[in-house]
Structures are given as structure tokens and as C-alpha cells.
Amino acid sequence: IYAYLFLALRRFFGTGILAAIMIVVAFGLLSYWWGEPLSAAFGSTGSYVPAFLAMVATGLALLGKEAGSALGLFAAAAVFAVSMSFRMLDAPVCAGFPYGSHFVWHILNATTLYILLRLFTGARARG
């Protein structure tokens, strides 16, 4: 998550190395600080909410500049939201279905990563 954020800041926005590092550190600190309230609301999936919000925020920031990349980030965020939902449903589903739904979490995470990597490799470097 942190590596992709760093690379995305560099590629999509042309952010300098030091500024990108500072943003990633700030993101990490905010994610840690909000960890307890997010875990209270979303269980162990709460630690992934900042990544979802980062995808949405990055998409919003790109909307006027690179609509295609913005839409791709929104698509990745949507897939990730569904993925997180399956992760939260896993424990209750396991009671009635022995395989649970955790495998769907992994499949949808792989899909999210595929979308994000395609966006990254398809975007022109800034700066």
C-alpha cells in the first residue's frame, strides 16, 4: 500500500521524492492513528479503509487532469470495497458454509492490484 502510494504520487502527480516520502509517512501515521476507531467499526478490515480512501482521494485529485486514470482508480476502489465486504462477512459465512468467503477477498484483492498496476504502467511519468 505504501509503496504504491509513493509510486502513484511520483507517476500521477510528479511529486518530488522527499515530498512523496513525507506524504506516505503522514498517510502511515494517520492510518495508525485512525486504526482503533476503524477497527471498532470494521473489525480487522478497518486497517484497509485508509487504502480505500487513498484510492478515492487520488481518483478525485486526478479527475480534472486525467479522467481515465481517475475512473480506473474509482474502479479499483469499488472492487476493493466489495473485497473488504467479503472479508468482513467471512466469519459469519463460515458458520453455514465451511469454505467461508475469505477466498473471494483474495480474488478481489488480486483484481484490485491488477487494475492499479495497469493504471500505473499505462500512465505517463510526470515531472
Side-chain angles (χ1 to χ4, degrees):
I1 292 169
Y2 300 113
Y4 188 87
L5 179 58
F6 174 80
L7 294 171
L9 288 166
R10 302 272 299 137
R11 174 70 50 103
F12 295 128
F13 300 104
T15 307
I17 292 173
L18 184 58
I21 290 171
M22 290 174 28
I23 292 168
V24 170
V25 169
F27 174 77
L29 292 172
L30 285 172
S31 297
Y32 176 77
W33 187 58
W34 281 97
E36 192 172 318
L38 290 171
S39 292
F42 298 98
S44 62
T45 306
S47 62
Y48 294 99
V49 172
F52 167 78
L53 295 174
M55 283 184 254
V56 172
T58 305
L60 289 171
L62 285 174
L63 203 52
K65 299 172 188 157
E66 290 186 38
S69 294
L71 293 175
L73 283 161
F74 295 146
V79 171
F80 194 56
V82 175
S83 175
M84 291 189 305
S85 298
F86 273 97
R87 189 174 196 275
M88 289 186 293
L89 290 172
D90 191 43
V93 168
C94 277
F97 182 64
Y99 298 108
S101 64
H102 195 74
F103 68 96
V104 180
W105 152 259
H106 287 286
I107 292 168
L108 292 176
N109 272 355
T111 304
T112 301
L113 290 171
Y114 173 78
I115 294 168
L116 290 173
L117 289 173
R118 288 291 305 238
L119 282 171
F120 180 79
T121 58
R124 291 188 190 143
R126 301 273 177 235

